[in-house]
Amino acid sequence: MARTLRRLADENLLIVQVWLVSRLLFAIIAVTLAVAGRRPLESVLAQWDVGHFLKIAREGYADPDEMAFFPGLPLLLRGFTELGLPAVLFGTILALACSLAAAFALKRIAGAWGAIAWILAPTAVFTAVPYTEAPFCAAAFWAWERASQRRWGQAALLTALACALRVSGLFLIGALAILAITQGRNPSRRRGVRDGGLGARLAWLVLPTAVLVAYVTYLYGLTGSWTAWFAAQEAGWDRGFHWPWEAIANHWEVVQRPTPDHPEWVWLFRAELVSWVVGVVVTLVALFRKRVAEAAWVGVQVLAFSLSYWLMSVNRAVLLWFPLWRQVGEFVESRPDTTGWRVVGVLGGLVALAVQGVWAWLYFTGRWSS
């Protein structure tokens, strides 16, 4: 018992240490760029979508294109502003706290090495700035963990929070519904865990579904259209419907055509394609291992990305794919604890930090970073 507790404490400490090193790297890059450019730190942190969240926080959905973003994070940023607090700074603190919370949820799902791999993900900078990735992952990962433990009431509340943050909550509801169906009868009644059976498990999912319905209804009240969210996606981000083969063809054309003024674009589009392939592989592996709900969680997102003009924002979506990090964690756990593998692990961690640093530099300098 004492040995087990010590091992758990060591794993927790290692997760915190890796998280601190990674986030310190982001901080050093951001502060250095702010000082070198004689710019406020907030202007370095508030790139790309952060501007949309801040605008919604100030003005609501005055611009129809802003309806592509869910209201959860803008409401939180507005709350900080109403309290007289700097929204970008406290949005960053929120993201940092949520990223650590998500890591510990992932530890329960994917083990310590899965959580560490997630912390070191290439696009992890988006979990350290006022984006929705960190709070969504915290809510979604804990929702999945709670549902896996048959705590469906808690899972429903966390899923409802996730649904207020981004459309991925819809996919989470679907995956949880499959998990509810595949869980079967409850063998844990003697431990005081009673989920009430399949009907009760599915009934809990009405709560997060109501959040999505409320947002769609709210947009209908503003625009008179039930498809306002889709219209905003198409108008602002070229995410109208295309067949997967069209999306891949359009994407491949960009991959083959470097842009001299923006040399990073072609590499990021190549990374999007790699991330998409990773999603396909993770889905197939999860199916092979009979983890149908996990396969659905990743597979439906891969499909959704395949129905746009091109494969866009897949690099960031990788952060949401806890089955990927579970598979990574299981692979690491299956390796022998030898000096050779330890060296490989250390070198892999250093390479991951270097890639994170480059991706953070792209984001903080306002370059396209997915």
Side-chain angles (χ1 to χ4, degrees):
M1 183 65 176
R3 182 177 299 177
T4 300
L5 292 175
R6 178 60 184 273
R7 179 180 59 81
L8 292 174
D10 289 344
E11 290 177 349
N12 292 340
L13 179 59
L14 182 59
I15 289 172
V16 172
Q17 289 172 335
V18 175
W19 178 86
L20 284 172
V21 169
S22 175
R23 273 50 189 174
L24 181 60
L25 174 65
F26 298 151
I28 290 172
I29 295 172
V31 171
T32 300
L33 290 171
V35 172
R38 297 182 179 179
R39 299 167 53 193
L41 181 59
E42 288 190 0
S43 71
V44 176
L45 296 172
Q47 304 288 349
W48 296 101
D49 288 358
V50 179
H52 295 290
F53 295 133
L54 292 172
K55 185 177 180 182
I56 298 169
R58 292 192 306 268
E59 305 172 9
Y61 291 106
D63 182 350
D65 286 354
E66 305 290 351
M67 295 176 185
F69 297 95
F70 275 50
L73 183 57
L75 284 172
L76 289 171
L77 295 178
R78 182 165 185 168
F80 292 138
T81 303
E82 293 291 335
L83 294 173
L85 304 173
V88 174
L89 175 60
F90 278 85
T92 301
I93 294 173
L94 173 68
L96 291 169
C98 286
S99 68
L100 187 58
F104 276 105
L106 197 54
K107 180 187 177 236
R108 291 182 175 232
I109 298 171
W113 290 111
I116 289 170
W118 180 80
I119 292 171
L120 294 174
T123 53
V125 65
F126 293 103
T127 66
V129 292
Y131 263 62
T132 57
E133 271 72 11
F136 180 87
C137 285
F141 293 174
W142 276 110
W144 196 271
E145 190 278 335
R146 292 287 78 195
S148 299
Q149 297 300 316
R150 299 178 180 270
R151 305 289 184 175
W152 281 90
Q154 298 171 23
L157 289 172
L158 289 161
T159 305
L161 175 59
C163 287
L165 292 164
R166 52 191 295 147
V167 71
S168 310
L170 173 63
F171 307 142
L172 180 61
I173 292 173
L176 284 171
I178 295 174
L179 180 63
I181 294 170
T182 56
Q183 271 187 338
R185 299 182 64 181
N186 184 356
S188 305
R189 292 183 184 276
R190 283 181 295 181
R191 296 200 298 268
V193 179
R194 290 181 170 82
D195 57 27
L198 175 59
R201 295 196 293 269
L202 293 176
W204 275 114
L205 297 179
V206 173
L207 176 60
T209 302
V211 173
L212 295 176
V213 172
Y215 181 54
V216 171
T217 304
Y218 173 73
L219 294 184
Y220 176 79
L222 292 178
T223 65
S225 171
W226 290 109
T227 59
W229 183 84
F230 293 98
Q233 285 282 328
E234 184 172 8
W237 287 268
D238 286 330
R239 286 183 171 169
F241 177 82
H242 290 79
W243 293 108
W245 50 88
E246 295 175 336
I248 294 173
N250 293 333
H251 197 91
W252 186 253
E253 183 181 352
V254 177
V255 166
Q256 299 300 311
R257 192 179 65 243
T259 306
D261 294 338
H262 301 280
E264 75 277 6
W265 285 3
V266 67
W267 292 103
L268 287 166
F269 270 83
R270 289 171 181 172
E272 298 277 14
L273 184 58
V274 171
S275 295
W276 183 84
V277 172
V278 167
V280 173
V281 172
V282 169
T283 302
L284 294 176
V285 171
L287 283 174
F288 178 77
R289 295 182 175 179
K290 298 181 180 180
R291 298 170 181 171
V292 181
E294 294 186 10
W297 168 238
V298 178
V300 72
Q301 294 180 63
V302 171
L303 176 61
F305 286 120
S306 306
L307 299 176
S308 294
Y309 181 78
W310 45 31
L311 308 176
M312 184 63 69
S313 300
V314 193
N315 292 327
R316 284 195 287 131
V318 167
L319 294 166
L320 279 56
W321 296 346
F322 65 84
L324 164 62
W325 309 111
R326 182 179 182 183
Q327 291 173 20
V328 171
E330 289 172 344
F331 173 81
V332 175
E333 288 287 349
S334 68
R335 299 305 93 189
D337 186 14
T338 62
T339 302
W341 277 110
R342 290 182 181 181
V343 171
V344 170
V346 171
L347 292 176
L350 293 175
V351 171
L353 286 171
V355 174
Q356 280 191 332
V358 172
W359 220 296
W361 176 80
L362 288 172
Y363 174 83
F364 291 135
T365 55
R367 290 171 173 81
W368 177 245
S369 49
S370 190

